[in-house]
């Protein structure tokens, strides 16, 4: 029984390896449901404080597949200093964020601070519009490959790509690898692109 207790205590300690870290996940109408919900729960499991960031606070946004999510905070009340990591899910929501200067500024500020930015599927549309992709290597959903290349990035087709503070993936099937790399990135000091 003592051995079982020690194993349980070690598992509890591992599960709280990111205790106190703050992870913000963007939300807007037509987000890709799994790409928001999976990291939201996965990072809570790691002990993070997670919250959703939308154009407005307290609004119920429906995902592409109809799953609702209420925004915990407005983008107006969040700065890079409030976050240890920012996650940009895909779906069609990134097409709204990329047209909103408030979201582009948050992404630029996170990048300037060298803090982890996770972007999956169509999420790199926002990275393109924030103008942080020049000379970066990333992946994304294949349909927006041209967009990221026109923004100056090198596209590679693999489940997850880490380039300094940017962690990118292609589709919901890549979420385990995406979250694994983000967990590692949050544990490191900020990393700036050389």
């Amino acid at each position: 029984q003592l051995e079982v207790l020690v194993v349980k205590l070690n598992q509890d300690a591992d599960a709280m390896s990111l205790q106190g870290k703050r992870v913000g996940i963007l939300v807007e109408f037509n987000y890709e449901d799994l790409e928001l919900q999976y990291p939201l729960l996965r990072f809570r499991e790691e002990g993070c404080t997670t919250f959703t960031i939308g154009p407005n606070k307290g609004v119920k946004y429906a995902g592409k597949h109809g799953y609702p999510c209420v925004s915990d905070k407005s983008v107006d009340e969040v700065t890079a200093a409030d976050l240890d990591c920012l996650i940009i899910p895909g779906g069609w929501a990134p097409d709204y964020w990329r047209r909103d200067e408030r979201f582009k500024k948050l992404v630029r500020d996170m990048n300037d601070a060298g803090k982890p930015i996770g972007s999956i599927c169509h999420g790199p549309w926002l990275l393109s519009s924030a103008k942080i992709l020049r000379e970066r290597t990333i992946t994304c959903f294949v349909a927006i490959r041209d967009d990221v290349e026109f923004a100056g990035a090198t596209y590679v087709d693999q489940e997850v790509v880490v380039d300094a503070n940017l962690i990118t993936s292609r589709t919901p099937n890549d979420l385990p690898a995406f979250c694994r790399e983000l967990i590692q990135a949050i544990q490191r000091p900020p990393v700036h692109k050389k």
Side-chain angles (χ1 to χ4, degrees):
Q1 285 185 354
L2 181 57
E3 186 177 323
V4 172
L5 178 59
V6 170
V7 169
K8 173 76 171 114
L9 290 174
N10 286 338
Q11 288 172 343
D12 289 347
D14 289 345
M16 294 299 172
S17 64
L18 300 179
Q19 188 72 39
K21 298 292 186 178
R22 298 156 302 178
V23 177
I25 304 174
L26 300 186
V27 65
E28 169 66 275
F29 291 110
N30 293 313
Y31 66 88
E32 177 57 51
D33 305 54
L34 262 179
E35 294 168 356
L36 183 148
Q37 296 298 331
Y38 184 106
L40 185 73
L41 298 174
R42 181 66 187 94
F43 285 93
R44 281 185 189 160
E45 182 179 53
E46 287 295 324
C48 294
T49 298
T50 61
F51 51 88
T52 55
I53 305 166
N56 299 293
K57 179 180 181 174
V59 175
K60 184 188 291 186
Y61 296 99
K64 273 177 50 181
H65 307 288
Y67 198 84
C69 180
V70 176
S71 53
D72 297 311
K73 296 179 183 281
S74 161
V75 67
D76 295 317
E77 56 187 319
V78 178
T79 68
D82 300 322
L83 299 171
D84 295 296
C85 176
L86 177 66
I87 297 176
I88 305 166
W92 297 304
D95 193 35
Y96 302 122
W97 299 321
R98 72 186 305 192
R99 294 182 260 167
D100 189 325
E101 185 57 39
R102 301 172 301 166
F103 287 96
K104 291 187 286 187
K105 180 180 182 334
L106 180 59
V107 168
R108 282 191 300 268
D109 290 349
M110 288 290 292
N111 191 59
D112 290 346
K115 293 182 174 183
I117 301 170
S119 188
I120 186 168
C121 192
H122 286 73
W125 262 346
L126 178 54
L127 304 179
S128 296
S129 295
K131 303 198 181 336
I132 65 165
L133 289 182
R134 185 157 309 286
E135 299 180 10
R136 304 299 288 267
T137 299
I138 72 162
T139 195
C140 58
F141 187 66
V142 69
I144 66 165
R145 175 182 179 169
D146 289 346
D147 300 69
V148 300
E149 288 179 336
F150 289 141
T154 299
Y155 168 84
V156 292
D157 182 16
Q158 58 191 56
E159 68 179 355
V160 65
V161 175
V162 178
D163 183 335
N165 65 312
L166 289 184
I167 294 90
T168 54
S169 284
R170 304 167 301 187
T171 67
N173 287 337
D174 299 333
L175 282 163
F178 178 68
C179 289
R180 180 188 67 239
E181 292 297 335
L182 280 168
I183 287 166
Q184 292 176 11
I186 293 170
Q187 294 175 5
R188 294 189 294 262
V191 179
H192 295 86
K193 181 68 178 176
K194 295 184 174 50

